[in-house]
Amino acid sequence: MNLLQQSRKIATTLILILVLTITTACGSGTVTQADRTIAPQIGSDVAYAELQRGNTPTGQSFGDWVVQTSKGLVKDAYVRDNNKLGVVISSQVRPNEVRTLAKSLVQGFQRNFPDKHLTVLVYGPDKKLILTTEYDRASNQIQYS
């Protein structure tokens, strides 16, 4: 690896750390104790968009990025445990494009979460599971079911 490539990787890593530090530091500044006497109501009255996009800060960022960069193809996304991505596609995605979209999501997911066995769950606009895509890191293969 030549010096230019190595310095580019180091610069990219430093920029990523800086961005993650700034976005984490710029979050809400006050933490308040939740009222534990009132149980949260999760049901039909809670909008679907109110759910978290990730259960880790990195997963949350990746879920946000997927929705923002999908140009309307992905209505919602969530990341769990940095190895499972679920996406709700819009009606703009044709049935013959679902597998291609899933493959692209696996590739992007793998770049952001390397060295992991990954699963991408694709849900239709009605939020019913239509495709499960698994990436096996050891064999570098993608399987669809």
Side-chain angles (χ1 to χ4, degrees), residues 6-7 39 125 136 139:
Q6 202 170 26
S7 60
D136 184 2
S139 66

Side-chain angles (χ1 to χ4, degrees), residues 13-117:
T13 303
L14 291 175
I15 290 170
L16 180 61
I17 290 170
L18 179 66
V19 168
L20 290 174
T21 303
I22 290 172
T23 56
T24 304
C26 293
S28 64
T30 58
V31 177
T32 59
Q33 180 68 25
D35 183 5
R36 297 186 189 271
T37 61
I38 301 173
Q41 297 292 324
I42 299 177
S44 60
D45 59 333
V46 176
Y48 184 78
E50 292 177 12
L51 299 177
Q52 288 184 339
R53 291 227 165 99
N55 63 351
T56 66
T58 308
Q60 178 79 25
S61 296
F62 186 74
D64 289 338
W65 179 83
V66 167
V67 173
Q68 291 169 1
T69 59
S70 70
K71 299 179 183 173
L73 297 178
V74 175
K75 293 191 323 186
D76 199 6
Y78 68 87
V79 176
R80 296 294 179 262
D81 304 323
N82 293 339
N83 70 347
K84 185 178 286 185
L85 170 66
V87 296
V88 178
I89 59 173
S90 72
S91 56
Q92 296 174 356
V93 180
R94 289 185 239 131
N96 62 343
E97 298 172 334
V98 173
R99 191 176 276 215
T100 305
L101 177 62
K103 182 178 180 180
S104 296
L105 290 168
V106 166
Q107 291 170 341
F109 199 32
Q110 192 271 330
R111 280 188 217 108
N112 285 275
F113 299 94
D115 303 326
K116 291 188 181 263
H117 178 82

